[in-house]
Amino acid sequence: MKKQSKSGAPAADIGVVGMLRWAWRQLTTMRAALILLLVLALAAIPGSLLPQRIQDPGAVSTFIEENGAWGEFLDAVQLFDVYTSVWFSAVYILLMVSLVGCIIPRTKHHLRAMRQAPPTAPRRLTRMSAYRTTPLTTQSEQRTTDELLDAARAHLKKSGYRTVRADDHIAAERGYLKETGNLVFHVSILATVIIMAMGGLFGYSGQRVLVEGETFSHSLVSYDSFDPGTFFDADSLPEFRLTLDDLETRFDDEASGAQFGQPRQFDASVTLNTPEGASEFMLRPNEPVRVDGSRVYLIGNGYAPVITARNANGDVTYSGPVVFLPQDGVYTSTGVVKIPDASPDQLGFGGVLLPTTGRNDDGELISTFAELRNPLLVMDAYRGDLGLDTGVPQSVYQLESDSMEQLVDEDGSPYQMVMQPGDTAELPDGHGSVTFEEIRKYAALDVHHDPVQVWMMPFMALLFGGLSLSLFVARRRVWVRVRGDEVEIAGLARGEDPRVDEAVEELTQVLALESLEPESADPDAGSAQNSSGK
Amino acid sequence: MDVNVALAQWSNLLIYSAMAVYAIAFIIYAFDLFGPAFAGDTQKADKESGGTADSQADRTDDPSIGAKSVNRTAGSRTESTAAAAGPGSAATAVLDDGDRPVDGTRDGGMGSGGAEDDGHADASTPDLRRWARAGTALTVLATAFLLGAIVTRTLAVMRVPWSNMMEYALIASAIAAVAYLVLLKFRDFRYLGTFVTFSVLLVLGLCITVFHTPAAQIIPALDNYWIWIHVPIAILSTVLLYLSAIIALVQILRSRSESKPWRGPLRFINALPGSKELEKASYRFAAVGFVTWTFTLVAGAYWAEIAWGRYWGWDSKEIWTFVVWVVYAAYLHARATRGWTPTRVAVLNLIGIASVIFNFSVVNLYFNGLHAYAGV
Ligand code: HEM
């Protein structure tokens, strides 16, 4: 990388325009592209080592809390938002600028090259990558120069060369598609980046958790979280309602070792209501439902215990399913219940749901399997101010228990509800009762919309086709020259070309008269081919 | 869920058998490389033709794959002994003559290609590379066991045999071993035998320990036809890039030996094809590997759109697949950039394979992303 300075710093007095021109020339060299690529690879790595906000904002806050000043420093240099950070953007934008600066002159040059005739033969053909000779005439057959050159030209044309006849030779070139492919490939990369950026601007994505039996009306307010692009137009949301009729989940209880308990089936039966009518679907992983340009994905699932809370008078203060988030492969799930209407104080419960309860070696209660075989709900209870009226948005999955007080038994130890479905627990100190009615499943749905995504496919095809042409088409020049009674056949590889020697050999065979052994290659010829220009 | 336990056990047994045989093959190959036989070959050839390496380097325009190259390589073996008689055109005349008889004997079975090559060389230098021949025969046997292990495992679960890390690694080893054996048919790549058998042995060892996954059905997240497209291409790319990297490593060593021949155990390097030819072979694997890796990336993005609702989301696996891709793009650029010596370019190749391996091992095992493999 030190070599960069080789091309020289700008002279001191060239002025601003000169400076810019110099910078532009540096940026559009192959060397700059190479360095930028390496820097891009390096710059992408931290995003895999540190939690990223685009994936898991919760993990980022936890990380910052746990690491104090260090965490804040990392945040300040955007290491939790690597792919939208100033420095990452700078690298790829520079690369794109370099790419444009590279594509334009090369396209011009290539268009010119395609219109020009292949260059005429250099004086010394022996220096080419491959070189053969064969006699023009023999005892058995006489040929004129014209006859031979015509034959050579016909053969070259048939093999896809562009040819031109000079005085005493044929000049031919093939493999223009290599450069065409290379340019198409680079343009496709540019297009890909632009399409990705546009998708972020015009699309949206939203998440919603839906318990069995619930219906989701598609509108901004009914999302749990919604992430619109900068130019997203809320009026363009398609109109539909989605009901989760049933969610079937199955886990492996036969496999051994690490495979035991792995998921085997997630099938969500949904009813979709659109202005056109109702229809039923199976929503599965890898099988989104597509509605009017938006797509609905099943991306998660879990259990929602149905809880009913009553005050001391027996009035219902809360009733409904509470979404618990699975924490591991056996669906040990955590969740909180907030009951602002409880009396005399507001109540909050935090707890763990074990779908199939067992005990570990230390005798602690754990879940041993993800299906609901022997469920148990264990919850602590808090009283006091839930803090819902402060105006600060709260997570429904976390209890702000700082200003709350944990309920205790008569003996002063923390009070705990341990319930199976159907059980009712009496809270101490006249705080009423809690009934664990049943467990329902829920599905976590993602809705996505990306209006420019359809453009990706054609550009991917171009990218791929262009790359293959660029790497695997051989570009070479061939000359056939008559010198006295001798025919010289020479080939020059332009870039990677494993077959130049074979091609020349084949042409020689064609041009040699049947009865003759062709003379073989100059053994030194091989060393010339690597110097061919790129 | 229908998993045939007996077949799964057979599969494990076959993996152990394959490992045992690969281990012997590796030792024997290593003996061939580091032991006296190869060195004898080297010294003899050096004395006779002023270096096999140079005469082979002249024909670097050979395609590494393709029937024609058979003739060339076989010819050059002859040439190295015949060159003593007269330089220049005499040698190439021998080369042309050498073509036909070799061609005739060469249409035999795949694994025996290497052995027949020896048969040819034996005419002038008897007993050379006997170890290598044994190594190749054992590699064929071990690979048969490995293929058997994959077939039985597939039959045990009746689904795609690449749905977790262990299966991925099994398939990759099998492809690498088969690719190596097939390539032997075209060119004497047996100097790679030591590296290939060692790598396969190592990977199989990891398969039955760190990556071990009991035979079972597939998780819903993977249950899609894209697993038929995205994953095998990824495995193939890994193998291609790996082979490219081994050759790049040999190229670096060979390139040093061109100015200062190796002594001691590495002296076998001196007798290998010239670094220029190695560089080209390495490049060809990398070029094909880059194209297939690009396909892996694009197909992965397409699948991600179906599975997760976005084609690109900077998941840790996506990040590293991208990093790998960019490193190899840099490698291809470096090759075309003035001022980058072949050795430096080869180092980029090695950085590339390091990121491929990191992507497979560390990212799978320690980074939790959406790509978490079933059960590992
Ligand atoms: C996102 C950025 C880029 C990527 C991913 C990329 C990728 C590639 C790849 C994979 C190749 C291999 C094709 C081949 O070897 O024939 C290639 C070739 C090439 N690229 Fe790029 N490139 C990028 C940017 C650039 C830029 C900015 C330039 C100009 C300064 C450039 C100039 C070239 C040239 C001249 C070749 C042909 C090299 C040869 O003949 O081997 N590329 N590029």
Side-chain angles (χ1 to χ4, degrees):
Chain A
M1 308 207 180
K2 266 178 290 173
K3 289 247 176 75
Q4 237 182 340
S5 55
K6 207 169 61 178
S7 37
D13 54 355
I14 54 173
V16 179
V17 178
M19 277 292 274
L20 285 176
R21 202 178 283 146
W22 173 82
W24 173 252
R25 244 185 287 121
Q26 291 302 304
L27 187 61
T28 54
T29 56
M30 275 293 265
R31 193 176 297 130
L34 170 56
I35 290 165
L36 284 170
L37 280 171
L38 290 173
V39 174
L40 182 68
L42 274 181
I45 291 175
S48 70
L49 306 175
L50 291 167
Q52 296 295 297
R53 283 210 174 82
I54 46 166
Q55 260 116 28
D56 194 348
V60 173
S61 343
T62 315
F63 189 96
I64 296 176
E65 268 167 38
E66 283 172 3
N67 289 276
W70 173 236
E72 272 158 35
F73 169 75
L74 293 179
D75 196 21
V77 294
Q78 299 180 302
L79 276 162
F80 302 114
D81 305 283
V82 167
Y83 306 102
T84 48
S85 68
V86 175
W87 43 273
F88 189 80
S89 310
V91 176
Y92 78 77
I93 289 171
L94 273 179
L95 194 55
M96 290 306 125
V97 173
S98 167
L99 195 52
V100 172
C102 197
I103 290 171
I104 293 171
R106 282 176 63 201
T107 308
K108 278 193 204 147
H109 182 262
H110 185 51
L111 286 175
R112 207 176 318 124
M114 285 206 292
R115 268 181 273 125
Q116 275 169 351
T120 53
R123 199 122 52 82
R124 268 174 54 95
L125 285 178
T126 45
R127 291 171 175 268
M128 297 298 124
S129 326
Y131 179 76
R132 305 278 193 286
T133 58
T134 187
L136 179 61
T137 59
T138 63
Q139 302 92 320
S140 59
E141 205 172 333
Q142 301 284 320
R143 289 186 292 195
T144 65
T145 301
D146 280 340
E147 277 167 5
L148 180 113
L149 290 183
D150 284 347
R153 191 172 187 177
H155 178 78
L156 286 166
K157 271 202 168 140
K158 211 169 63 201
S159 324
Y161 287 80
R162 287 173 48 191
T163 60
V164 60
R165 169 77 198 263
D167 218 13
D168 58 348
H169 70 269
I170 299 284
E173 179 158 358
R174 55 150 288 157
Y176 294 86
L177 268 180
K178 186 187 188 73
E179 183 70 1
T180 310
N182 191 282
L183 290 170
V184 167
F185 167 77
H186 283 87
V187 170
S188 305
I189 287 186
L190 203 59
T192 306
V193 173
I194 292 171
I195 294 170
M196 281 179 87
M198 284 183 27
L201 292 180
F202 294 102
Y204 66 81
S205 71
Q207 287 75 41
R208 169 68 199 247
V209 166
L210 205 56
V211 179
E212 280 174 319
E214 283 183 350
T215 297
F216 163 52
S217 298
H218 194 219
S219 67
L220 281 187
V221 288
S222 52
Y223 276 108
D224 296 332
S225 67
F226 191 77
D227 181 17
T230 316
F231 300 134
F232 167 70
D233 171 14
D235 295 335
S236 69
L237 277 185
E239 223 178 284
F240 64 84
R241 273 181 303 133
L242 201 71
T243 307
L244 180 64
D245 300 320
D246 177 51
L247 178 66
E248 187 144 344
T249 57
R250 191 164 54 81
F251 296 82
D252 199 332
D253 54 2
E254 287 177 8
S256 59
Q259 285 285 349
F260 180 83
Q262 287 290 321
R264 295 294 172 234
Q265 185 194 355
F266 298 126
D267 287 350
S269 312
V270 296
T271 305
L272 177 70
N273 277 289
T274 62
E276 284 87 56
S279 48
E280 295 195 344
F281 281 101
M282 243 350 177
L283 190 59
R284 296 191 180 98
N286 285 312
E287 292 176 32
V289 174
R290 315 213 163 200
V291 194
D292 202 4
S294 294
R295 288 142 196 222
V296 184
Y297 297 82
L298 175 64
I299 55 149
N301 67 89
Y303 298 118
V306 179
I307 304 263
T308 301
R310 293 183 173 81
N311 63 16
N313 301 332
D315 302 329
V316 173
T317 51
Y318 181 91
S319 184
V322 183
V323 168
F324 272 50
L325 299 179
Q327 305 296 314
D328 53 25
V330 286
Y331 279 55
T332 307
S333 308
T334 59
V336 304
V337 190
K338 297 182 186 179
I339 308 175
D341 297 338
S343 58
D345 302 301
Q346 293 189 327
L347 288 176
F349 309 140
V352 182
L353 175 72
L354 308 172
T356 300
T357 313
R359 286 189 187 273
N360 66 7
D361 295 343
D362 299 332
E364 293 159 354
L365 288 173
I366 55 158
S367 176
T368 56
F369 194 62
E371 284 178 21
L372 294 172
R373 302 232 164 132
N374 177 23
L376 194 71
L377 179 64
V378 182
M379 293 200 292
D380 298 329
Y382 297 83
R383 64 177 192 86
D385 183 7
L386 284 167
L388 294 175
D389 305 325
T390 57
V392 181
Q394 269 193 21
S395 162
V396 293
Y397 303 113
Q398 256 163 7
L399 204 59
E400 306 286 332
S401 53
D402 292 350
S403 56
M404 300 188 83
E405 185 188 324
Q406 187 164 7
L407 296 187
V408 292
D409 280 330
E410 294 94 74
D411 61 6
S413 62
Y415 170 78
Q416 215 171 35
M417 293 169 257
V418 180
M419 299 188 280
Q420 292 183 316
D423 289 353
T424 296
E426 288 295 331
L427 298 174
D429 304 333
H431 281 95
S433 68
V434 176
T435 307
F436 176 19
E437 315 269 2
E438 55 165 338
I439 300 177
R440 285 200 251 160
K441 291 177 192 151
Y442 70 83
L445 304 180
D446 262 27
V447 182
H448 286 265
H449 179 64
D450 180 346
V452 288
Q453 180 170 299
V454 291
W455 286 101
M456 233 19 166
M457 265 321 260
F459 278 107
M460 285 300 119
L462 284 175
L463 184 144
F464 205 71
L467 178 64
S468 306
L469 289 177
S470 168
L471 286 173
F472 303 128
V473 168
R475 184 166 187 191
R476 76 174 76 100
R477 292 181 177 155
V478 169
W479 295 276
V480 179
R481 177 160 66 191
V482 178
R483 271 224 312 223
D485 196 29
E486 195 178 52
V487 185
E488 291 180 290
I489 300 123
L492 173 68
R494 307 201 63 210
E496 200 58 41
D497 181 3
R499 304 183 69 89
V500 62
D501 200 61
E502 266 169 65
V504 169
E505 175 66 28
E506 187 197 324
L507 181 60
T508 311
Q509 299 280 359
V510 168
L511 297 180
L513 299 171
E514 283 306 338
S515 54
L516 280 171
E517 276 292 312
E519 213 179 303
S520 286
D522 176 355
D524 287 332
S527 54
Q529 82 196 48
N530 291 308
S531 56
S532 54
K534 283 190 186 164
Chain B
M1 273 143 275
D2 31 23
V3 170
N4 187 326
V5 180
L7 273 178
Q9 276 165 353
W10 268 104
S11 172
N12 283 350
L13 205 64
L14 282 166
I15 295 176
Y16 284 112
S17 316
M19 284 181 67
V21 182
Y22 276 124
I24 304 173
F26 163 64
I27 292 167
I28 288 182
Y29 266 137
F31 200 79
D32 166 57
L33 272 199
F34 303 116
F38 200 98
D41 189 9
T42 311
Q43 281 154 14
K44 197 159 191 167
D46 277 350
K47 226 181 293 156
E48 282 169 349
S49 69
T52 358
D54 293 347
S55 52
Q56 287 186 349
D58 286 346
R59 272 172 298 286
T60 49
D61 46 326
D62 277 354
S64 58
I65 304 168
K68 281 261 162 55
S69 66
V70 175
N71 306 346
R72 294 281 158 85
T73 319
S76 68
R77 276 193 158 268
T78 328
E79 181 198 357
S80 60
T81 46
S89 60
T92 36
V94 172
L95 178 130
D96 280 336
D97 287 343
D99 288 352
R100 264 134 242 146
V102 180
D103 240 359
T105 54
R106 233 157 217 285
D107 295 325
M110 118 192 153
S112 53
E116 272 161 359
D117 193 6
D118 257 356
H120 181 63
D122 279 352
S124 48
T125 48
D127 279 347
L128 288 185
R129 315 286 314 268
R130 205 195 292 142
W131 291 100
R133 235 186 302 162
T136 305
L138 285 169
T139 307
V140 173
L141 179 66
T143 307
F145 282 141
L146 178 52
L147 292 173
I150 291 170
V151 170
T152 43
R153 183 157 174 121
T154 311
L155 292 175
V157 291
M158 293 307 279
R159 56 158 170 77
V160 281
W162 47 70
S163 77
N164 54 52
M165 276 179 84
M166 175 184 177
E167 290 166 1
Y168 188 114
L170 279 182
I171 302 269
S173 326
I175 295 181
V178 170
Y180 164 72
L181 291 172
V182 168
L183 285 173
L184 281 187
K185 200 166 142 62
F186 299 108
R187 188 180 281 213
D188 188 2
F189 265 129
R190 283 175 302 171
Y191 59 88
L192 293 182
T194 315
F195 301 95
V196 171
T197 49
F198 177 74
S199 317
V200 170
L201 187 60
L202 187 71
V203 170
L204 292 183
L206 288 171
C207 275
I208 55 167
T209 53
V210 187
F211 303 155
H212 186 258
T213 316
Q217 289 306 311
I218 204 167
I219 59 171
L222 292 180
D223 191 8
N224 183 263
Y225 66 94
W226 275 98
I227 199 171
W228 289 97
I229 303 164
H230 174 63
V231 183
I233 300 288
I235 299 177
L236 180 67
S237 315
T238 306
V239 172
L240 288 167
L241 296 175
Y242 185 70
L243 291 175
S244 169
I246 301 185
I247 304 175
L249 185 64
V250 176
Q251 171 210 328
I252 294 174
L253 297 173
R254 182 72 180 92
S255 146
R256 204 211 81 156
S257 83
E258 276 157 8
S259 49
K260 184 163 164 280
W262 290 96
R263 312 204 161 276
L266 280 182
R267 68 186 182 282
F268 74 90
I269 298 278
N270 304 337
L272 296 183
S275 67
K276 236 188 222 166
E277 188 182 353
L278 290 169
E279 200 277 335
K280 291 206 163 199
S282 169
Y283 163 75
R284 273 172 214 140
F285 280 112
V288 181
F290 181 75
V291 172
T292 54
W293 191 265
T294 308
F295 187 85
T296 306
L297 189 79
V298 173
Y302 197 92
W303 189 3
E305 198 278 328
I306 296 173
W308 304 317
R310 81 292 180 294
Y311 52 83
W312 197 263
W314 298 106
D315 172 59
S316 56
K317 196 79 184 180
E318 289 170 347
I319 294 170
W320 277 91
T321 304
F322 173 76
V323 169
V324 167
W325 190 77
V326 173
V327 170
Y328 280 99
Y331 162 82
L332 293 176
H333 273 203
R335 242 184 135 253
T337 304
R338 250 172 298 133
W340 275 70
T341 62
T343 299
R344 270 170 85 189
V345 176
V347 169
L348 271 186
N349 188 319
L350 297 182
I351 294 175
I353 198 66
S355 41
V356 171
I357 291 171
F358 189 88
N359 190 18
F360 178 66
S361 55
V362 179
V363 175
N364 279 355
L365 293 172
Y366 299 107
F367 293 11
N368 42 19
L370 295 168
H371 266 84
Y373 270 97
V376 182

